[in-house]
Amino acid sequence: MLSRIKSLSSIQFTVILALYYVCVLNIPFFQIVKQGVDKQADVNLVFIATIPLFLIFALSFLFSIFSIKYLVKPFFIVLTLMSSSVFFGALQYGVVFDYGMIENTVQTNSAEAATYLNWASVVNFIATGVIPALLIYKANIQFKPFTKELLHKLAFMAVMLIGIGVIAVFFYQNYVSFGRNNDIIKRHIIPTYFVGSTVKYINVNYLQEPIEYKQLGLDAKNTTDKANGKPNLVVLVVGETAREMNFAYYGYDKPTNAHTENQGLFAFKDTSSCGTATAVSLPCMFSRMDRENYESRQARAQDSAIDVLNHGGIALDWLDNDSGCKGVCDNIDSIVIDRSSDSELCNGQYCYDQILLDTLDNRLNNIESKDSLLVLHVIGSHGPTYYLRYPQEHRFFTPDCQRSDIQNCSDEELMNTYDNTILYTDYIVSEVVEKLKKQSGKFDTAMLYISDHGESLGESGMYLHGAPYAFAPEEQTKVPFLGWFSKSFAKQNSLNLTCLAKEAARGGYSHDNLFDSLLGLMNVSSEVYQQDKDIFSHCRQN
């Protein structure tokens, strides 16, 4: 059948392809348009009817630029295969492929990518990507002699511009007003938005001249009072994809913090993340830059809080069971869990976070007697395969969703699965606290837990994370922030725990506070330290 496809001119090919993109691959775009229409009191139906026509004209014009002999087929085959994946992510999960999501996608390892493979994604890729790509490959596209082809193409492109102009003449104000009230709409146009984001990512990371690396806090000094005889030992647990609203500490009606509820943890309320994906949030939360002025390229070219602590003489280790430290731990000792190990806690692609507890034991058995910070980067609640994040004995909430195409699970199953990951993370945190208690003879100990970002679980039709921050729901931006401090740590570091309990209840914090809070907690002074951002400084008695 494919071999008998009739001959097409380049213009006919362009129009057919544009129609396919508008009628199929831009279904998520029109869903967002409908949401915008539903919010309006008065709707001009003629204006709404021009939107698909406008999109056909615009894509036909753009596609004409690349409908060049020898380029047309490879270009549009690759574009269509990529667009198919973007279409599925947008349709099923509400994902927007902006710069941050492209960055997150590029940094995704093979094990993470495999979690998105399921029957729904494979069937979609074949139906909307592979089959159209085969049709493009088999299409018999006829090109006229160069000059004639060029003139025909220019004439066609002029007609498309005229069509756009006619729509603009009659409905310019409608487009401006509708676009202003629904700014996210343009981010769902396939393929223009994700292509633009990809080009921007390539330009920023590979084509621009590298920024000269800048060291920060070279004056850092550990000011801990050595007279007490015991150094400080702090464990920072960096969570993955945990959202505040599913923690019992913040009023959730299920016992997701049953393991730590009697250990005296502080829950800092109303804490906001720096981003909605690990690739952004993790380096940002350790950066000197705040969320408002964070720029990933610049952050990679300067020291992080970990580096400043290192300058100050703090012993540092990073133990990772997730997707790596995104450059944060490059200058210190780090251990990435070997997922291919024969441990019963690993399946070859992922390991349960309990494996970090064994690694922590080994580290504590050999730790030097000096002020130390150990970072545990857990896999926590990484989706969509939430059911792979907790072992059978920690499967407390049932029925749960034992599949990766989570959009096909019931609301109850999906929430139970996610809550199991939160409860299991709570178990990991409780075990860390117990291990620190056993170190009380050698160290004054404390523990912090904070997640990198949250997660959408079907609210407003959105799943997973990575939404543009300006439009991201609180499910993706509000994260848990917990702390535990031994009495000896509080006493020797002049930390008033009664005061801290009030600060935690007051809340209103963000990842912007982490840099200075870590320096303050570890008693490291430096010119880059900003006391007003140190959460603990308000409760430190001089």
Side-chain angles (χ1 to χ4, degrees):
M1 178 180 176
L2 291 175
S3 62
R4 296 198 296 270
I5 293 177
K6 61 181 288 186
S7 297
L8 299 170
S9 69
S10 63
I11 291 175
Q12 289 173 323
F13 172 81
T14 299
V15 172
I16 292 172
L17 193 64
L19 285 170
Y20 173 67
Y21 270 75
V22 172
C23 297
V24 178
L25 297 182
N26 272 287
I27 289 175
F29 165 77
F30 289 110
Q31 290 178 332
I32 301 299
V33 170
K34 182 180 183 301
Q35 292 176 14
V37 171
D38 291 342
K39 291 187 296 184
Q40 290 191 184
D42 299 315
V43 179
N44 185 330
L45 295 180
V46 180
F47 155 65
I48 299 301
T50 68
I51 294 178
L53 196 60
F54 181 95
L55 199 55
I56 290 172
F57 289 154
L59 291 183
S60 295
F61 178 87
L62 292 173
F63 287 174
S64 292
I65 298 173
F66 301 95
S67 297
I68 302 171
K69 194 173 183 178
Y70 305 121
L71 172 66
V72 59
K73 287 189 177 183
F75 178 82
F76 285 110
I77 286 173
V78 172
L79 183 66
T80 300
L81 292 173
M82 293 174 63
S83 297
S84 171
S85 298
V86 172
F87 161 75
F88 183 76
L91 182 68
Q92 297 296 333
Y93 304 122
V95 174
V96 175
F97 284 80
D98 61 351
Y99 179 92
M101 180 53 70
I102 298 299
E103 182 177 42
N104 198 48
T105 301
V106 170
Q107 295 185 20
T108 296
N109 57 44
S110 58
E112 286 184 75
T115 64
Y116 295 92
L117 285 177
N118 50 62
W119 282 110
S121 63
V122 171
V123 169
N124 167 84
F125 188 65
I126 292 173
T128 66
V130 175
I131 292 177
L134 285 173
L135 291 171
I136 292 171
Y137 175 73
K138 289 289 188 177
N140 184 14
I141 306 172
Q142 297 295 316
F143 290 89
K144 298 177 177 61
F146 178 78
T147 302
K148 195 172 182 180
E149 177 73 23
L150 179 61
L151 292 174
H152 275 73
K153 181 172 292 188
L154 291 175
F156 173 72
M157 294 172 72
V159 171
M160 296 299 100
L161 287 178
I162 290 171
I164 292 172
V166 170
I167 292 175
V169 167
F170 291 98
F171 300 103
Y172 176 77
Q173 291 299 331
N174 299 82
Y175 274 92
V176 171
S177 176
F178 193 73
R180 184 184 299 117
N181 294 329
N182 303 276
D183 187 57
I184 197 173
I185 284 178
K186 65 184 180 184
R187 300 169 185 259
H188 284 270
I189 299 176
I190 297 174
T192 55
Y193 196 76
F194 89 82
V195 169
S197 299
T198 302
V199 170
K200 180 181 178 182
Y201 177 82
I202 293 172
N203 178 54
V204 168
N205 291 277
Y206 300 104
L207 301 181
Q208 293 186 11
E209 197 169 319
I211 300 174
E212 184 178 353
Y213 193 88
K214 180 181 180 181
Q215 289 189 298
L216 302 177
L218 292 176
D219 65 327
K221 182 180 179 181
N222 185 355
T223 61
T224 301
D225 182 5
K226 307 299 182 182
N228 69 71
K230 284 196 298 184
N232 290 324
L233 170 60
V234 178
V235 173
L236 169 63
V237 182
V238 178
E240 169 68 57
T241 322
R243 66 186 199 179
E244 179 190 83
M245 62 184 63
N246 285 62
F247 275 59
Y249 286 120
Y250 301 105
Y252 192 50
D253 60 0
K254 291 162 72 173
T256 52
N257 296 115
H259 297 290
T260 61
E261 61 182 356
N262 296 319
Q263 289 181 319
L265 271 65
F266 296 88
F268 297 87
K269 294 184 178 179
D270 190 26
T271 301
S272 299
S273 67
C274 189
T276 60
T278 305
V280 176
S281 275
L282 190 61
C284 181
M285 65 199 292
F286 286 95
S287 168
R288 175 65 283 174
M289 291 180 281
D290 295 340
R291 186 187 70 79
E292 293 292 339
N293 60 20
Y294 178 75
E295 202 278 313
S296 59
R297 185 166 173 262
Q298 186 176 345
R300 289 195 300 270
Q302 62 179 244
D303 283 345
S304 67
I306 296 296
D307 295 310
V308 176
L309 291 170
N310 195 25
H311 298 327
I314 304 299
L316 298 154
D317 274 289
W318 186 288
L319 314 179
D320 204 295
N321 188 40
D322 198 8
S323 56
C325 68
K326 311 302 181 186
V328 176
C329 65
D330 285 357
N331 298 322
I332 65 168
D333 291 336
S334 62
I335 297 174
V336 178
I337 297 301
D338 180 8
R339 297 164 179 170
S340 63
S341 71
D342 57 2
S343 169
E344 61 182 13
L345 297 174
C346 301
N347 66 3
Q349 290 187 316
Y350 285 102
C351 298
Y352 295 127
D353 282 326
Q354 278 173 258
I355 200 166
L356 282 174
L357 299 178
D358 296 335
T359 309
L360 179 61
D361 279 337
N362 292 334
R363 185 66 190 90
L364 293 176
N365 289 335
N366 297 286
I367 195 168
E368 295 181 61
S369 183
K370 61 184 297 187
D371 288 350
S372 304
L373 173 69
L374 305 182
V375 182
L376 305 187
H377 188 197
V378 300
I379 198 168
S381 303
H382 197 294
T385 49
Y386 306 114
Y387 70 99
L388 295 178
R389 304 295 164 248
Y390 51 92
Q392 181 66 27
E393 60 269 25
H394 288 270
R395 189 183 178 193
F396 183 80
F397 303 108
T398 56
D400 53 354
C401 177
Q402 295 281 313
R403 54 198 295 179
S404 62
D405 53 338
I406 55 176
Q407 69 277 8
N408 293 318
C409 292
S410 69
D411 292 342
E412 180 189 15
E413 290 171 336
L414 179 55
M415 198 61 70
N416 281 341
T417 305
Y418 184 79
D419 287 341
N420 280 332
T421 69
I422 301 298
L423 181 60
Y424 181 59
T425 296
D426 191 64
Y427 165 75
I428 300 299
V429 170
S430 71
E431 288 295 296
V432 170
V433 170
E434 291 303 317
K435 292 179 186 301
L436 288 176
K437 289 179 179 178
K438 294 177 181 178
Q439 297 292 323
S440 61
K442 297 186 294 182
F443 294 94
D444 295 324
T445 57
M447 186 281 309
L448 296 178
Y449 167 85
I450 190 167
S451 183
D452 57 355
H453 55 79
E455 186 87 326
S456 288
L457 297 172
E459 298 88 359
S460 302
M462 298 182 70
Y463 293 87
L464 305 177
H465 51 267
Y469 204 93
F471 307 101
E474 289 193 349
E475 288 86 357
Q476 296 188 32
T477 62
K478 293 298 181 181
V479 295
F481 180 20
L482 310 176
W484 173 85
F485 309 90
S486 68
K487 290 182 179 179
S488 64
F489 182 94
K491 180 179 180 181
Q492 297 299 338
N493 292 277
S494 303
L495 191 61
N496 187 320
L497 296 183
T498 301
C499 168
L500 193 59
K502 294 179 181 178
E503 285 294 311
R506 181 176 66 85
Y509 304 110
S510 74
H511 281 165
D512 292 348
N513 295 106
L514 186 63
F515 187 104
D516 302 287
S517 297
L518 284 178
L519 264 63
L521 200 63
M522 301 306 300
N523 299 303
V524 171
S525 65
S526 170
E527 62 180 4
V528 298
Y529 170 73
Q530 298 177 19
Q531 184 176 354
D532 60 322
K533 291 184 178 180
D534 177 2
I535 295 172
F536 308 108
S537 68
H538 305 295
C539 299
R540 194 171 288 118
Q541 301 168 324
N542 297 321

